[in-house]
Amino acid sequence: MATVYLHIGTPKTATSSIQIFLGDNVELLNEHGIAFPILDYRWDFIRKQRNAHFLVQGWEPEEDEEGQEEEPEERTEPTGSYYEALDQIVEVAQEYDRIILSDEVIWYSGTHYERFWPQLKEDLASRGLDLKVIVYLRRQDLFMQSRWKQHVKEKTKMTFTKFLERADEIPYPLDYYAYLNKIADLFGTDSIIVRVFERGQFAGEEHSVYSDFIDIFGLKMSDGFEIKEEINNTALEGNALEIKRIMNDLPDIREHSRTLRQALGDLPYKERTTMFESVAAQQAYCDRFAESNALVAREFLDRDDGVLFRDPIEDLPPQIFTDEAIFKDTIRTYARTTQLLEEQVDNLKKENKELEKQSSEVFKLIGGSGERLQSLETEVRRLNHSRFIRFERFCGRLKRRILRQGDD
């Protein structure tokens, strides 16, 4: 019987890096009887290496005839490409007895959709497939800080304090033992592979997340594995976080903020801080999960001492945002954004000139019969001009927003 190794995150534990790494080493994995299949399904903003995303997509709410989305509890079975993809996995299992699937959103989906795990058990069993779940756990205080920073990069307007409160309301699956035990009740404790997201606990000579992951399969980096692409997912820090959080009021900020995020990332960052009010507050937050974490250590990792996370809480100063510092960095952000946009405009002008040169040469070759080409050449110029106009409008909105914040 083939075994599906389902890597479910958690988020903010280098899941994307692992997926890229596996995709870059597919042939070597195949030589060891392991498959990391890239399936024929694509979704917006989902990289192809998230090859287990069909399990999530199958449970996404659908709209009724009036355009209203159904509630998560109304879903009783998956739809879409869910079953087609599972059948493709069955075909892969004819050649490989170990199959890796990965998607970090599964960590949440299993809590939002009550039937997610029971349905998956039925569907795999009916196809003659076994399951092992791989999960990386990060200390809850570090996870929540990293998660909030990611949300700020995208579009949230919530402060960190509000974000913590919201996590309690949703709730986020931060009680690791309760969630893992729920999965273990269906598949057995031995089917849950828990890894701790701390460098000091990573297996392998390199003590990296890559060496740790392939260690699950008895492999080493020295077996020929290569890190061909490192994901540069730099988080915003310091005042850049507060500036971006305020600017998230702007319309379409998530879709049109790549240059702005780059400018914010270029701000000078002087010291590492904690988003908690104090080290004591951070410790108190960790204490909320101490019992749960100890049970995970004992029951899933066979650690008699009940210690799951070994890194101590760092004695970092709290992040404090002052009006003067925010105002200065806002000006720096505006100036840097302007520089970056001007560089992009200059590059577009160079590209436009090259296109005009090439089209002119082609027009000369075909002579007077090129009226259509001349029309296309005019259209190219018009389109490029419209891109410049959009840049200018964005700069204008950004400038007005910054000036309003300064007045406030």
Side-chain angles (χ1 to χ4, degrees), residues 6-20 45-47 49-53 56 101-110 116-117 134-136 143 147 150 154 173 179 231 233:
L6 183 60
H7 175 217
I8 65 173
T10 59
K12 313 312 297 179
T13 58
T15 309
S16 297
S17 296
I18 292 172
Q19 292 162 351
I20 297 295
F45 310 112
I46 304 297
R47 70 178 59 85
Q49 291 88 348
R50 288 176 61 177
N51 60 353
H53 192 70
V56 176
L101 300 178
S102 177
D103 194 284
E104 59 270 33
V105 178
I106 293 175
W107 179 253
Y108 295 131
S109 298
F116 183 91
W117 290 109
I134 301 173
V135 59
Y136 277 81
F143 168 79
R147 190 64 175 161
Q150 182 65 37
E154 294 171 355
Y179 190 24
I231 293 182
N233 189 19

Side-chain angles (χ1 to χ4, degrees), residues 250-303:
L250 288 170
D252 302 325
I253 189 66
R254 183 176 184 180
E255 292 77 13
H256 305 291
S257 63
R258 183 171 58 183
T259 303
L260 174 60
R261 289 199 304 269
Q262 183 180 345
L264 289 168
D266 289 343
L267 287 177
Y269 179 57
K270 297 180 180 179
E271 63 177 351
R272 297 175 60 234
T273 58
T274 176
M275 298 311 303
F276 286 88
E277 296 178 355
S278 64
V279 174
Q282 190 169 350
Q283 181 64 63
Y285 189 77
C286 289
D287 290 344
R288 295 171 52 182
F289 308 102
E291 183 178 352
S292 171
N293 292 344
L295 287 170
V296 172
R298 291 192 178 97
E299 296 188 19
F300 291 92
L301 293 173
D302 295 324
R303 296 180 178 176

Side-chain angles (χ1 to χ4, degrees), residues 13-239:
T13 58
T15 309
S16 297
S17 296
I18 292 172
Q19 292 162 351
I20 297 295
F21 170 75
L22 295 173
D24 287 342
N25 290 275
V26 166
E27 293 183 1
L28 186 56
L29 289 169
N30 291 166
E31 292 176 11
H32 291 276
I34 302 170
F36 182 69
I38 302 300
L39 305 178
D40 300 327
Y41 303 99
R42 299 291 180 269
W43 295 274
D44 292 341
F45 310 112
I46 304 297
R47 70 178 59 85
K48 63 182 181 180
Q49 291 88 348
R50 288 176 61 177
N51 60 353
H53 192 70
F54 70 91
L55 296 174
V56 176
Q57 197 68 29
W59 291 95
E60 287 295 305
E62 294 183 339
E63 293 184 354
D64 59 23
E65 295 180 356
E66 298 179 355
Q68 298 295 318
E69 283 192 353
E70 59 185 348
E71 295 297 324
E73 57 269 18
E74 295 177 356
R75 297 304 306 272
T76 57
E77 62 180 10
T79 58
S81 58
Y82 180 97
Y83 288 112
E84 292 179 4
L86 275 182
D87 290 338
Q88 287 188 29
I89 299 303
V90 173
E91 294 179 10
V92 175
Q94 305 304 312
E95 186 174 356
Y96 300 97
D97 58 5
R98 292 181 290 179
I99 304 167
I100 302 174
L101 300 178
S102 177
D103 194 284
E104 59 270 33
V105 178
I106 293 175
W107 179 253
Y108 295 131
S109 298
T111 59
H112 292 325
Y113 305 109
E114 189 63 29
R115 285 285 303 162
F116 183 91
W117 290 109
Q119 186 69 49
L120 182 59
K121 180 180 180 180
E122 294 176 12
D123 294 333
L124 292 178
S126 66
R127 288 164 173 77
L129 298 172
D130 197 5
L131 177 72
K132 288 188 180 295
V133 176
I134 301 173
V135 59
Y136 277 81
L137 300 180
R138 187 173 187 176
R139 205 175 68 205
Q140 286 89 343
D141 60 312
L142 299 176
F143 168 79
M144 289 302 290
Q145 291 184 85
S146 181
R147 190 64 175 161
W148 176 73
K149 291 175 182 179
Q150 182 65 37
H151 279 226
V152 170
K153 280 178 64 176
E154 294 171 355
K155 63 177 181 178
T156 191
K157 293 176 281 188
M158 285 188 288
T159 62
F160 180 67
T161 301
K162 183 64 178 178
F163 188 72
L164 290 180
E165 295 172 357
R166 181 73 187 279
D168 290 335
E169 296 169 4
I170 295 176
Y172 271 48
L174 295 174
D175 185 339
Y176 295 153
Y177 179 75
Y179 190 24
L180 293 178
N181 205 41
K182 176 182 176 180
I183 301 174
D185 284 344
L186 287 169
F187 298 97
T189 302
D190 292 341
S191 295
I192 313 296
I193 301 172
V194 173
R195 312 295 277 201
V196 182
F197 192 72
E198 288 182 351
R199 182 170 294 278
Q201 298 197 52
F202 288 154
E205 295 181 0
E206 296 78 9
H207 293 290
S208 70
V209 71
Y210 308 114
S211 63
D212 187 82
F213 191 90
I214 61 176
D215 176 76
I216 295 171
F217 303 92
L219 301 173
K220 300 178 180 179
M221 293 295 291
S222 57
D223 291 328
F225 289 92
E226 295 180 324
I227 302 172
K228 300 179 182 179
E229 179 184 354
E230 290 275 13
I231 293 182
N232 184 18
N233 189 19
T234 305
L236 298 180
E237 301 289 353
N239 291 333

